[in-house]
Amino acid sequence: MSLRGHNETWGSPRNGNFMGLIELISEFDPFLREHLTKCQSEKRNISYLSKTVYEELIEIVQKEIVAQINNSDTKCFSIIIDSTPDLSHVDQLAVIARYVYNGQPYERFLTFIPITNHTAQTLFNTIKNFFLQILVLENIRGQSYDNAASMSGKYSELQARLKEINKYADFVPCAAHSLNLVGVEQLV
């Protein structure tokens, strides 16, 4: 979901999903409503609701997720990766981590990574470079992707290349994508 809009102005129908969600939440939260009213009426330059602030918040949340995974009691995690184009037709990998922290299972979005093509080598290099910055690839215990050959192929594709790094990184096809393929096949 795109966060930014066309004009980033409070009250505008084209202000983006982030500002739209803040306005929606303010309908039910008196404190936030009062803050937005003051920002609009006093024309404040600092509202703490700008794209810079929410990008910093996303970075803080990502660091907390990585800290939970890197915790000595957690360490192991699984990844879910899918590619999707955004509104500007830039292809991106959505990267999600699954892990258990303090006895509770979590599935957390980590990031979007822009990609230039869907070759297995490009996907592998992109994922490897991303995880080398934040997590240890040898701690992956599971991987799940759609049924695209470049991701799920068992000989030289993404899942096979990650399995070479860690033999315990078992591949499980995405259940939602598999169910969709079954449904499409039944309609034909």
Side-chain angles (χ1 to χ4, degrees):
M1 177 165 59
S2 173
L3 293 177
R4 293 188 199 155
H6 293 286
N7 59 16
E8 300 287 323
T9 305
W10 293 109
S12 168
R14 300 178 58 140
N15 65 5
N17 291 324
F18 175 75
M19 292 176 117
L21 289 170
I22 293 295
E23 289 175 342
L24 176 65
I25 293 169
S26 73
E27 292 179 19
F28 305 99
D29 184 337
F31 177 79
L32 185 57
R33 184 175 335 130
E34 181 183 339
H35 179 69
L36 287 180
T37 303
K38 284 181 181 178
C39 290
Q40 289 172 336
S41 64
E42 297 173 13
K43 300 293 182 202
R44 290 184 178 182
N45 288 333
I46 301 173
S47 68
Y48 299 103
L49 296 171
S50 68
K51 63 184 176 193
T52 306
V53 172
Y54 72 71
E55 286 173 353
E56 287 177 14
L57 288 172
I58 290 170
E59 191 175 305
I60 290 167
V61 170
Q62 183 188 46
K63 286 180 181 178
E64 177 60 26
I65 292 167
V66 170
Q68 287 180 357
I69 295 172
N70 284 331
N71 180 303
S72 61
D73 293 333
T74 306
K75 291 265 188 220
C76 299
F77 63 98
S78 296
I79 58 172
I80 303 167
I81 298 173
D82 196 7
S83 67
T84 184
D86 66 9
L87 289 175
S88 62
H89 305 289
V90 173
D91 233 353
Q92 304 178 88
L93 290 178
V95 181
I96 295 104
R98 293 191 76 179
Y99 59 97
V100 176
Y101 179 70
N102 288 337
Q104 295 291 336
Y106 291 94
E107 185 172 285
R108 299 285 190 235
F109 170 79
L110 291 175
T111 193
F112 284 117
I113 306 172
I115 56 173
T116 54
N117 65 56
H118 288 263
T119 65
Q121 188 64 46
T122 299
L123 295 172
F124 175 72
N125 289 340
T126 303
I127 295 302
K128 181 178 161 190
N129 292 337
F130 171 71
F131 279 109
L132 285 176
Q133 295 173 26
I134 62 169
L135 295 168
V136 179
L137 283 172
E138 287 78 10
N139 291 338
I140 292 178
R141 292 298 185 265
Q143 46 183 325
S144 182
Y145 319 112
D146 61 14
N147 294 310
S150 61
M151 292 181 130
S152 61
K154 64 182 181 177
Y155 296 110
S156 64
E157 308 314 340
L158 179 59
Q159 72 102 1
R161 292 168 194 234
L162 283 174
K163 194 107 170 138
E164 288 174 3
I165 291 174
N166 182 349
K167 66 181 180 178
Y168 301 113
D170 291 330
F171 169 70
V172 176
C174 175
H177 282 94
S178 298
L179 182 60
N180 183 48
L181 289 174
V182 169
V184 169
E185 189 63 32
Q186 294 299 319
L187 294 174
V188 175

